[in-house]
Amino acid sequence: MSTDEVLESNVQFHKAWEFFARSCPKGEVIRSPEVLIAACNVPWSIMNIAFQPASGGTEAALGHALDEAAHYFTPRQRAWMFAISWDWLTPEVRERAAAVCAGRGLTLAMESIGMVTERLAPPTRSLPALDLRFITDAEGSRHVADIHAAAYGAPVDTARQSMAIPAMFQGECRGYLGYEKGQYVASAAVVKQGDVAYVAYVATRPEFRSKGYAEALIRQALKDAQRLWGLERTGLHATLSGYPVYLRLGYREATRFGLYAPGSPGR
């Protein structure tokens, strides 16, 4: 893996979550030499993430970053995650990282794969014609939340409190919803990050999967990013289930992250 793309993927992850945090009424971004915290301060842990601020560092430094994150989130009674970039750790610290987390009550909640491409591959199948709508108001952002609740098995109320925030889809973030016969079936968004179009909020309701809806939205979003911002290079962070889809779209793996959470994995 390219060192430059490892750095780029980390920076994209940081910038995206900082943008989301700053879009939330109670959101907060804290940068220090020890830790980066991008907290929307909402119920869903995936929207409250602490990060390594830089590569390298000792086992003690990793432990201190985890402690600083816990010190921030625990009094606020917010579910949260700590994202560990495996390629930013030395081999010695990487070997010990899971144990360092476990010693603080943190378990692996999910994995994320940083991916990048200079341009998308041509479609390998006919994509569906969707009624495409931009997310511009509270109703649209609620639909995004509902899609994600269904896609990830989260309570609808948790998802709505965490994602039904219209400001997340304004400024340099364009949100998209796909409707079929009046039903909202999939969502996607693209965020302008310097010279990169960052793809986020991709999800499809389970009963509508494998029909190409998400791919159709992603392709439209990136077409717009090129037209409006002149951006063709694009990055994202995929779940394990989404990884094969993005490979088919022409993305390649840049690096991997482990997201550790207190107590039960996930939410």
Side-chain angles (χ1 to χ4, degrees):
M1 296 178 185
S2 161
T3 301
D4 288 343
E5 288 188 352
V6 171
L7 173 60
E8 179 186 39
S9 187
N10 274 272
V11 171
Q12 288 176 3
F13 208 163
H14 298 176
K15 284 186 175 180
W17 260 251
E18 288 182 57
F19 177 88
F20 300 145
R22 292 191 175 106
S23 300
C24 293
K26 297 181 181 179
E28 190 170 23
V29 174
I30 297 175
R31 280 188 170 271
S32 76
E34 293 81 20
V35 69
L36 165 63
I37 295 172
C40 290
N41 281 311
V42 293
W44 206 347
S45 60
I46 193 61
M47 303 307 295
N48 304 314
I49 299 186
F51 300 90
Q52 300 159 260
S55 62
T58 63
E59 180 180 325
L62 175 60
H64 187 60
L66 295 168
D67 292 341
E68 288 293 306
H71 180 74
Y72 175 86
F73 286 111
T74 301
R76 292 168 172 79
Q77 298 183 315
R78 293 300 188 192
W80 59 282
M81 294 182 179
F82 191 99
I84 293 181
S85 173
W86 299 116
D87 290 314
W88 265 15
L89 300 178
T90 65
E92 296 78 15
V93 178
R94 188 183 307 139
E95 186 176 335
R96 289 279 306 150
V100 173
C101 291
R104 291 164 170 79
L106 303 175
T107 57
L108 183 65
M110 62 181 294
E111 294 180 75
S112 181
I113 305 165
M115 306 185 77
V116 66
T117 186
E118 284 74 29
R119 62 189 59 83
L120 295 185
T124 59
R125 57 179 172 172
S126 297
L127 296 177
L130 280 173
D131 176 10
L132 185 148
R133 304 179 194 176
F134 297 115
I135 302 168
T136 58
D137 56 18
E139 181 183 37
S141 63
R142 280 197 304 273
H143 290 176
V144 173
D146 292 353
I147 291 168
H148 279 73
Y152 294 102
V156 171
D157 186 58
T158 294
R160 286 187 175 184
Q161 289 183 59
S162 303
M163 302 181 73
I165 300 170
M168 285 185 175
F169 306 99
Q170 297 174 7
E172 295 192 328
C173 179
R174 292 173 60 86
Y176 299 77
L177 284 165
Y179 291 76
E180 183 190 69
K181 297 179 180 178
Q183 298 185 78
Y184 48 90
V185 299
S187 68
V190 62
V191 184
K192 185 177 185 294
Q193 288 192 2
D195 59 354
V196 174
Y198 182 82
V199 175
Y201 288 124
V202 179
T204 303
R205 288 167 55 184
E207 64 269 32
F208 294 98
R209 287 175 179 161
S210 302
K211 296 185 178 182
Y213 294 134
E215 180 177 345
L217 288 180
I218 291 168
R219 289 186 180 279
Q220 182 61 53
L222 293 177
K223 182 179 179 180
D224 289 348
Q226 185 177 19
R227 176 177 58 84
L228 296 171
W229 302 327
L231 301 180
E232 192 162 15
R233 184 176 177 84
T234 167
L236 54 83
H237 291 87
T239 61
L240 294 179
S241 62
Y243 179 63
V245 176
Y246 295 116
L247 286 176
R248 189 173 66 244
L249 284 169
Y251 286 89
R252 63 181 178 275
E253 181 174 335
T255 189
R256 293 200 175 209
F257 299 81
L259 279 77
Y260 285 78
S264 301
R267 291 157 206 103

